[in-house]
Amino acid sequence: KQWYQRRVRDRLAAHLGSAFLLYLTMFKTSLQILLPVDHSLSPALQNLRRWGGGVAGLAFLTALSGAFVAGLDAGLVYNSYPKFGDQWIPSDLIAFSPKWKNVFENTTTVQFDHRLLGHSLLVAICAVWVMSRPLVLPKRAGVAVTALMGMGWMQVALGVSTLLLHVPTWLAATHQQGSLVLLTLATWLQHELGKKRIKMFKR
């Protein structure tokens, strides 16, 4: 059974990651063609863009960790929040030897990592939103950063609800779809805060 779970986990993560990368590549190319950027950026906006890139990378990593949670059924280990049962740090967090195996095979560690990444992602999104407040953003960039903020909170709410309700399939699938929406919004923000580009087609 453990061998089978490892195969499911690894293939699910690889399949999800490659599918997300393919989708994001097509989405970004479409934005460059249909919504080309026609403005220059101040140093403050360039800094915000770098932070936005960090959010996009962290969102992708969090989505991949979610695939490990799904592949190992790690969402069924601790169905409480914010604690793990009655503990803030579960006692079986480092139960396997060698220790690196816990990251990929220990269901407790996999869930712990996904929670940690999810919380870190939300903090990063909030930081980007706060940083954007005093800046004069291009119109579409302002919409993107606000939508990213709202979706960040919604995604955390979906994740916590999925956990507390013992991972109903429809809610888990909605949570997974939410990760793609989050990545889409982060990519859109990156595009809107990108460097000035020559239009590829005449309108």
Side-chain angles (χ1 to χ4, degrees), residues 4-6 8-10 12-13 65-74:
Y4 176 76
Q5 282 185 326
R6 284 197 295 270
V8 170
R9 174 205 66 200
D10 295 342
L12 182 60
S65 76
F68 280 91
V69 172
L72 291 174
D73 289 329

Side-chain angles (χ1 to χ4, degrees), residues 105-165:
E105 298 182 12
N106 186 338
T107 53
T108 297
T109 309
V110 169
Q111 187 188 124
F112 180 88
D113 290 345
H114 189 59
R115 289 198 201 192
L116 184 62
L117 286 168
H119 293 153
S120 300
L121 177 58
L122 182 61
V123 170
I125 290 173
C126 290
V128 168
W129 185 84
V130 170
M131 291 171 61
S132 72
R133 291 305 86 194
L135 304 178
V136 179
L137 298 177
K139 184 176 180 179
R140 293 198 303 259
V143 175
V145 74
T146 301
L148 182 65
M149 178 69 165
M151 189 62 211
W153 282 100
M154 185 179 296
Q155 181 67 348
V156 169
L158 284 171
V160 172
S161 299
T162 301
L163 188 68
L164 295 179
L165 295 175

Side-chain angles (χ1 to χ4, degrees), residues 8 13 31 38 63 84 104 111 115 147 151 153 157 163 170 173-174 176 181 187 202:
V8 170
L31 288 175
D38 57 0
F84 294 80
F104 303 102
Q111 187 188 124
R115 289 198 201 192
M151 189 62 211
W153 282 100
L163 188 68
W170 67 270
T174 303
Q176 187 179 63
V181 174
T187 303
K202 292 182 178 180

Side-chain angles (χ1 to χ4, degrees), residues 81-113:
Y81 186 86
K83 291 185 177 182
F84 294 80
D86 58 352
Q87 298 175 313
W88 286 105
I89 299 179
S91 57
D92 55 341
L93 185 64
I94 309 294
F96 292 1
S97 182
K99 293 181 179 180
W100 63 266
K101 280 191 173 183
N102 289 278
V103 177
F104 303 102
E105 298 182 12
N106 186 338
T107 53
T108 297
T109 309
V110 169
Q111 187 188 124
F112 180 88
D113 290 345

